[in-house]
Amino acid sequence: MHRPAPNRPLNPRRIGVIAMHTFTQLVRMKVFYFLGIFAVILLASNLFNIQHIDRPNLEGMEVLRSIRNLSLGTMTMFSVVIGIVATALLIPKDVEDRTLYTILAKPVPRLDYLVGKLGGLVLLIFTSLLLMDLLMMGVLTIRTNMVLEAQTASALRIGWPPDQIAAMKEETAKLGPGWDLQVAVLAVFLRAVVIASAALLLSILSSSTLFTTVTGFIVYFIGNFQATAREVYFDSAGVSAMERLAGLAVATIFPDMSLYNVIDKIISGMEVPPGTVATLCGVTGFYLVMHLFVSWLVFSKKEF
């Protein structure tokens, strides 16, 4: 009977053990403290832009919009910071604790080690965003009901007809909890996964945690201007073939973070184009596999 080789790469059980150890390691570093800050920011957003004017179609809507804006903005900020800083600490922490030598002394393929470390970090980001998402949906549900009651009372007071009140309530409900917000949270998560995989590659190429962290943020900001750079290199006249190839190389190496800006449309209540989720998942999968493959090529030759 044929049995698989014990040290065959991409063993799910082995990767799972390394991922759970990484998750526990990061939790012990008290990275969940930011959830308290998120709760304070979320509750404080209720106090912003409260309107007391005789226009029920506007009354309270800015409060809902500010809750969406601050919640998703804070999720983005925390997930990107965790994705870069925590990834930059992963391998140096294992070297410092001598855990890396223990793992590599065993028949553990280096690819499994990398996938497991990144998997643990992705699990941490997913758990963090899930908790923040539940908190956001709870606050938004309560606040939306309060706004709808205030709008209805105000509209009845100034004599609006029932059909106009119904249309107003429907428009307000679009800014409340809904599936569009889950698409936005998914986009935040996928963006954090991409920047974490890029930071993993940077941490293997360098030996300094500070360099990895600074370069990771630079890559993130460059990625937000990828669309503009592509327009310059591919759509402008007078650009040579070499310049176009250089532009293509830059577009491949640096992840295009502007693709995830669908979050801004969702905050303002606009509809998301069909196929957006599939596109974001496909792009994230491409960058994830590319970063992991290059990381493995470098890491497999690295001496510790």
Side-chain angles (χ1 to χ4, degrees):
M1 181 178 177
H2 176 70
R3 293 183 177 180
N7 59 343
R8 185 184 62 182
L10 296 178
N11 184 303
R13 185 173 177 275
R14 193 161 44 216
I15 291 173
V17 171
I18 297 174
M20 288 308 299
H21 174 268
T22 304
F23 178 79
T24 306
Q25 180 186 26
L26 290 170
V27 170
R28 287 175 179 169
M29 293 167 66
K30 299 180 175 59
V31 293
F32 278 127
Y33 277 175
F34 66 86
L35 286 173
I37 302 174
F38 175 76
V40 172
I41 293 175
L42 187 60
L43 295 175
S45 65
N46 282 277
L47 306 177
F48 299 155
N49 301 316
I50 295 178
Q51 301 179 4
H52 295 288
I53 55 180
D54 290 331
R55 297 178 63 188
N57 57 326
L58 295 179
E59 194 172 84
M61 290 181 67
E62 286 303 318
V63 177
L64 301 181
R65 195 172 281 112
S66 72
I67 292 174
R68 283 173 159 242
N69 195 5
L70 283 172
S71 301
L72 292 172
T74 308
M75 285 183 189
T76 299
M77 182 182 69
F78 279 130
S79 61
V80 169
V81 170
I82 291 175
I84 294 175
V85 177
T87 306
L89 290 170
L90 282 180
I91 295 179
K93 181 70 175 171
D94 277 2
V95 173
E96 182 183 343
D97 297 341
R98 307 190 72 79
T99 310
L100 178 65
Y101 305 112
T102 306
I103 294 175
L104 295 185
K106 298 177 180 178
V108 176
R110 296 195 175 194
L111 179 60
D112 288 18
Y113 172 77
L114 291 179
V115 175
K117 299 301 286 185
L118 186 61
L121 179 67
V122 169
L123 181 60
L124 177 79
I125 295 173
F126 176 80
T127 306
S128 305
L129 288 177
L130 179 62
L131 294 174
M132 287 191 280
D133 186 26
L134 291 174
L135 191 58
M136 175 183 67
M137 296 299 281
V139 170
L140 202 53
T141 299
I142 296 172
R143 195 60 180 170
T144 301
N145 291 331
M146 294 171 64
V147 168
L148 287 173
E149 289 179 5
Q151 281 183 324
T152 304
S154 179
L156 291 173
R157 187 171 60 249
I158 60 178
W160 279 28
D163 57 337
Q164 194 172 350
I165 293 176
M168 175 194 66
K169 293 173 70 174
E170 183 181 353
E171 193 66 24
T172 301
K174 291 180 180 177
L175 295 175
W179 286 109
D180 59 335
L181 277 177
Q182 301 310 305
V183 174
V185 175
L186 177 63
V188 172
F189 171 70
L190 294 177
R191 174 158 52 188
V193 170
V194 171
I195 196 61
S197 64
L200 179 68
L201 173 57
L202 291 170
S203 71
I204 292 172
L205 292 174
S206 77
S207 57
S208 167
T209 302
L210 180 62
F211 176 82
T212 302
T213 304
V214 173
T215 311
F217 281 109
I218 293 174
V219 168
Y220 174 71
F221 285 113
I222 290 177
N224 283 290
F225 296 99
Q226 273 278 25
T228 306
R230 279 201 305 271
E231 289 179 4
V232 172
Y233 279 104
F234 297 107
D235 297 338
S236 301
V239 178
S240 65
M242 288 301 295
E243 289 173 330
R244 290 181 189 277
L245 285 175
L248 181 62
V250 170
T252 304
I253 295 172
F254 292 97
D256 187 355
M257 296 299 173
S258 62
L259 293 171
Y260 301 91
N261 288 344
V262 64
I263 300 169
D264 298 334
K265 296 180 180 178
I266 294 174
I267 289 175
S268 59
M270 297 171 62
E271 292 187 2
V272 179
T276 298
V277 173
T279 302
L280 292 181
C281 289
V283 171
T284 302
F286 168 75
Y287 283 122
L288 185 62
V289 171
M290 184 184 69
H291 291 154
L292 271 174
F293 179 70
V294 179
S295 299
W296 172 62
L297 289 180
V298 178
F299 192 66
S300 61
K301 304 294 182 184
K302 199 165 184 174
E303 298 291 338
F304 293 95

